[in-house]
């Protein structure tokens, strides 16, 4: 299974929208998102997989869009990251999620 890991930074002043998102997408299934993390301007966060949703975050119903389409959006900056970087952030947010329950 070929996976793609992205960090997407959005520059905005809307507290209801995340300013940092992380995606794990399955490149073999039309970029189907497997896991997502969202971090909001106030420091709150959400996470989702096919098995759970936390906070305001959910998996997209449709596949993810291409890197080029994301980069073409105004004030949105995508970065390809490593699986290790994704997993480190995922682990930190899981610990925070469990502490908040």
């Amino acid at each position: 299974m070929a996976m793609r890991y992205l960090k997407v930074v959005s520059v905005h002043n809307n507290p209801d929208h995340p300013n940092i998102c992380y995606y794990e997408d399955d490149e073999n299934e039309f970029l189907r998102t497997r896991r997502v993390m969202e971090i909001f301007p106030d420091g709150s966060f959400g996470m989702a997989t096919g098995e759970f949703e936390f906070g305001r975050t959910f998996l997209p119903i449709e596949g993810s869009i291409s890197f080029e389409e994301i980069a073409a959006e105004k004030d949105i900056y995508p970065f390809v990251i490593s699986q290790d970087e994704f997993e480190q952030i995922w682990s930190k947010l899981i610990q925070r999620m469990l502490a908040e329950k």
Side-chain angles (χ1 to χ4, degrees):
M1 185 177 341
M3 303 301 274
R4 173 182 81 166
Y5 298 90
L6 292 180
K7 174 182 181 178
V8 179
V9 177
S10 301
V11 179
H12 60 76
N13 293 319
N14 188 337
D16 295 326
H17 294 283
N19 56 354
I20 303 174
C21 299
Y22 295 91
Y23 300 96
E24 177 186 63
D25 296 330
D26 183 344
E27 292 184 325
N28 293 326
E29 290 192 33
F30 306 105
L31 295 178
R32 182 174 174 206
T33 300
R34 298 293 183 177
R35 295 187 287 176
V36 63
M37 300 174 276
E38 298 177 323
I39 301 173
F40 293 84
D42 67 357
S44 64
F45 68 98
M47 307 172 72
T49 70
E51 298 168 3
F52 76 88
E53 295 176 350
F54 175 78
R56 300 178 267 177
T57 304
F58 55 90
L59 284 183
I61 295 171
E62 298 178 7
S64 181
I65 62 177
S66 73
F67 184 91
E68 292 76 18
E69 290 173 296
I70 297 169
E73 294 288 324
K74 183 179 182 205
D75 296 329
I76 297 179
Y77 306 95
F79 303 91
V80 174
I81 62 172
S82 69
Q83 179 180 1
D84 286 342
E85 183 176 351
F86 183 93
E87 295 297 347
Q88 287 176 9
I89 297 161
W90 182 264
S91 294
K92 287 178 186 177
L93 292 183
I94 288 284
Q95 290 172 4
R96 279 184 58 194
M97 180 185 72
L98 294 173
E100 289 184 15
K101 286 190 169 190

